[in-house]
Amino acid sequence: MVDAPIPTTTFAALGLPEALATALAGRGISVPTPVQAKVIPLALGAGDILAQARTGSGKTLAFLLPLAARIAAGEIHRAWVVTPTRELAQQVAREAEVVLGAQRTALLVGGAPPWPQVQDLRRDLPLVVGTPGRMVDHLGRGALKPDAEIVVLDEADQMLDLGFADELETLVRDLGESCARWLFSATFPPPVHAAVGRWLDDPRLVKLDGGAPSTHVRQRYVVAPRNGELAALGRLLHALEPARAMVFVRTRDEVEGAVRAIAAEGLEAAGISGELTQEARDRVLGRFREGKLAVLVGTDVAARGIDVPGVTHVFNLGLPTGAESYAHRIGRTARAGADGEAWTVVPAMLRSKFLRMASAGGSRPEEAPLPTGASIVAARRERLAGRVKESLGEKLALPPAFAELVKEHGAEAVLAAMVHRLVPDAPPERAPEPVRPRGAAGGAMVGVFLGIGTADQVNPGNVVAMLCHQCGLSNAQLGKIRLWERHTVVEVPPEVLRQVLSRPLHHRGRPIQAREDRRGYAGGSSSGGGSRRYAPPTDRRRT
Ligand code: ADP
Ligand code: MG
């Protein structure tokens, strides 16, 4: 394994103060990863650094620890860390709290009001963590002084990919020649080469494994028929029952489609996209992190650098944009030495393109058959058997009702009946649903008003799940879903309106009011992609 060769180093032996090593040990971190073992000694001295190591290899602490040590020693007074996304900046700031202490970091990200950030900057905090756009804003207004002695460009490949070259140029130029520059990147494409040439001065180089994906990730793919990608994903999810999975799609619009399809399969999923308010994004990520949400759907941009421990599966719905995107995505699982699985749903026409892309990044995914209903059931029964086996060591009493059944029918018959109850046989294969949702007349839809909204932490996936499972509709029958703070309007074909209104709807145990929408919310006023806009229009927090 790539991560194995430096097992005996300790953080103290790398030159870090004992107090830092102790703070880390309290978090269960005691052995430096290879990139940490190499970068930390260099970073405790002067000069520029270029470090390349794959995602999940521990680059964040590789720069935060030496920064914290040098700040604590009074060697430097200020450092900046620039990251590609808000989430990543928040994550770095959280880790900084462990190594630097609370209230020592200013977090400068978009999507949050700038004024509290300005106040933080006035407090002269030693660490500034932010995204390029917002940092340049604060620099331009004079709130952020270009006085850092070290600037860290984290995930440089992604920042350049996202088009932040100009912002980074401004930040680096304003900091001037005397500021040391540390550039971290998982991959080393030509734009990063160019940036290194422009911004770094004779850097010391740490290069670990060429950015190749973790060997702990088992990579597989299934080939899906035309327009059958969502159905294939649904099958994989049923067959694998992932504890915590990320699903990647290519565009923002596809996020909602995937969430809805997964919800229609009876699984809970939520999406993160740039269209959500920061608060809503944080809430979704929080639930995913806490294990309350099994499936998170996002685009590359929305999911950049998100480090959620314990992601067991990554799914690509369709092809990633390139070898680097593929490597980043599958790097979301198997973090810090854990195991993980990466699955790609490949449209039939694009199979060889996908294989070329994977092999360009040094991977060789294996093809797997598309799970059938019967194989899904078999896999679930096998997992059930595994869990039963785990309990066999315990002394467990048979409840009287079952003891009676066993006496009457024999243990084997009772057990077989129980397995079939818990994991029923697969229903007959359904014909694929039409792609475009429309009323029977091929036209007009009517609105259903539901007395539930974003304030109840409801997302479009919940609404789809509710209508599919409580009213017997199918995902393909549902049209636009528009969420407001306290209500939601869903378009359905007129012929199913009564079916919807005749069933009692509930969400998380609470009855939900439903009636025909007569205010025309579902109508033409919201054209122009209204179906995708599920952030509440009343929310003005986004900047
Ligand atoms: P990268 O930036 O290289 O993608 P991160 O810095 O986000 O990786 O680290 C990935 C995960 O590994 C994080 O959850 C982090 O807490 C964990 N981690 C980092 N260093 C160590 C270590 N020395 N021992 C155990 N876990 C670590
Ligand atoms: Mg990182």
Side-chain angles (χ1 to χ4, degrees):
M1 294 294 107
V2 282
D3 279 346
I6 318 175
T8 48
T9 328
T10 62
F11 286 107
L14 296 174
L16 292 170
E18 279 296 342
L20 269 182
T22 315
L24 286 178
R27 303 267 161 158
I29 293 182
S30 48
V31 182
T33 66
V35 70
Q36 290 161 359
K38 290 200 169 162
V39 165
I40 289 169
L42 296 178
L44 289 170
D48 291 356
I49 293 175
L50 169 61
Q52 184 194 354
R54 66 171 174 75
T55 38
S57 57
K59 293 187 287 297
T60 315
L61 285 175
F63 60 77
L64 279 181
L65 288 168
L67 287 182
R70 293 178 66 177
I71 288 169
E75 244 180 80
I76 59 167
H77 300 97
R78 183 117 45 230
W80 290 1
V81 177
V82 194
T83 75
T85 63
R86 306 163 188 177
E87 278 81 13
L88 197 54
Q90 285 164 334
Q91 220 160 268
V92 170
R94 257 202 307 276
E95 287 196 54
E97 195 157 302
V98 176
V99 299
L100 262 176
Q103 309 277 319
R104 311 214 56 206
T105 304
L107 181 63
L108 309 183
V109 293
W115 181 241
Q117 298 175 352
V118 171
Q119 283 173 318
D120 277 348
L121 287 172
R122 289 195 184 142
R123 291 167 56 210
D124 201 29
L125 304 169
L127 187 67
V128 174
V129 178
T131 46
R134 186 54 72 93
M135 289 180 81
V136 166
D137 286 351
H138 282 300
L139 201 60
R141 290 200 206 101
L144 177 64
K145 304 272 181 304
D147 61 0
E149 291 121 309
I150 297 173
V151 61
V152 180
L153 306 177
D154 189 21
E155 316 272 0
D157 47 352
Q158 302 183 357
M159 289 201 284
L160 294 169
D161 224 24
L162 287 173
F164 284 132
D166 290 348
E167 284 84 352
L168 293 177
E169 191 83 51
T170 304
L171 294 172
V172 167
R173 187 196 58 219
D174 280 20
L175 285 169
E177 291 296 319
S178 62
C179 175
R181 293 137 192 208
W182 301 353
L183 188 146
F184 287 78
S185 200
T187 57
F188 206 59
V192 178
H193 267 280
V196 165
R198 272 201 315 281
W199 300 334
L200 303 193
D201 180 22
D202 194 18
R204 278 150 316 152
L205 180 70
V206 171
K207 191 166 189 299
L208 272 155
D209 46 27
S214 162
T215 44
H216 307 280
V217 184
R218 177 151 187 215
Q219 299 170 51
R220 274 170 289 183
Y221 68 96
V222 294
V223 174
R226 197 183 168 84
N227 289 331
E229 292 92 342
L230 283 171
L233 175 69
R235 280 165 186 261
L236 285 175
L237 288 170
H238 275 305
L240 301 165
E241 295 182 295
R244 200 172 293 173
M246 287 180 82
V247 173
F248 286 96
V249 295
R250 283 174 71 132
T251 65
R252 286 204 308 205
D253 282 354
E254 287 168 11
V255 173
E256 192 188 334
V259 167
R260 290 173 65 159
I262 295 166
E265 293 284 338
L267 302 159
E268 201 185 346
I272 45 167
S273 84
E275 293 183 349
L276 292 183
T277 61
Q278 187 61 33
E279 201 190 351
R281 281 151 74 101
D282 289 347
R283 198 164 55 222
V284 168
L285 269 180
R287 284 178 56 225
F288 187 58
R289 213 170 250 133
E290 290 159 18
K292 292 182 186 146
L293 177 74
V295 184
L296 181 70
V297 182
T299 58
D300 284 323
V301 173
R304 282 268 146 98
I306 288 174
D307 175 45
V308 175
V311 171
T312 53
H313 295 73
V314 166
F315 296 92
N316 297 306
L317 191 59
L319 259 51
T321 45
E324 268 138 28
S325 153
Y326 181 68
H328 273 300
R329 289 175 176 193
I330 68 177
R332 300 296 111 213
T333 180
R335 310 278 286 171
D339 285 329
E341 294 184 27
W343 287 85
T344 303
V345 176
V346 182
M349 311 257 303
L350 299 176
R351 185 172 174 278
S352 51
K353 183 173 177 199
F354 168 68
L355 291 175
R356 275 198 307 277
M357 174 188 295
S359 79
S363 324
R364 196 159 293 123
E366 310 150 41
E367 180 164 0
L370 202 57
T372 59
S375 74
I376 291 170
V377 169
R380 297 181 65 174
R381 287 181 178 160
E382 206 168 294
R383 267 194 301 273
L384 179 63
R387 290 199 297 272
V388 168
K389 197 169 162 196
E390 279 169 24
S391 301
L392 281 179
E394 306 162 24
K395 282 256 167 297
L396 299 169
L398 194 61
F402 283 90
E404 228 159 81
L405 284 177
V406 168
K407 211 158 53 183
E408 207 171 311
H409 302 276
E412 197 173 321
V414 172
L415 193 55
M418 217 160 132
V419 171
H420 281 260
R421 273 276 152 172
L422 289 171
V423 186
D425 283 332
E429 306 271 317
R430 267 183 303 167
E433 283 173 347
V435 187
R436 288 268 85 208
R438 273 297 147 241
M445 303 277 270
V446 294
V448 175
F449 174 101
L450 301 172
I452 194 168
T454 51
D456 308 290
Q457 319 212 340
V458 162
N459 67 38
N462 302 131
V463 176
V464 172
M466 200 154 75
L467 294 174
C468 291
H469 304 302
Q470 297 172 27
C471 303
L473 300 190
S474 78
N475 186 27
Q477 288 176 298
L478 303 177
K480 288 183 188 174
I481 297 178
R482 306 198 65 206
L483 273 87
W484 278 261
E485 213 170 322
R486 312 228 166 258
H487 72 274
T488 296
V489 176
V490 190
E491 287 182 355
V492 300
E495 65 271 18
V496 302
L497 183 65
R498 287 189 49 193
Q499 183 180 341
V500 174
L501 300 183
S502 65
R503 313 280 165 97
L505 288 174
H506 47 87
H507 178 68
R508 300 197 180 118
R510 216 187 84 194
I512 303 303
Q513 187 209 117
R515 55 180 152 80
E516 187 178 353
D517 167 50
R518 295 183 193 282
R519 287 197 243 169
Y521 281 120
S525 64
S526 69
S527 59
S531 63
R532 310 296 175 200
R533 201 171 302 127
Y534 54 85
T538 50
D539 195 319
R540 281 174 282 110
R541 266 171 301 234
R542 256 178 86 73
T543 55

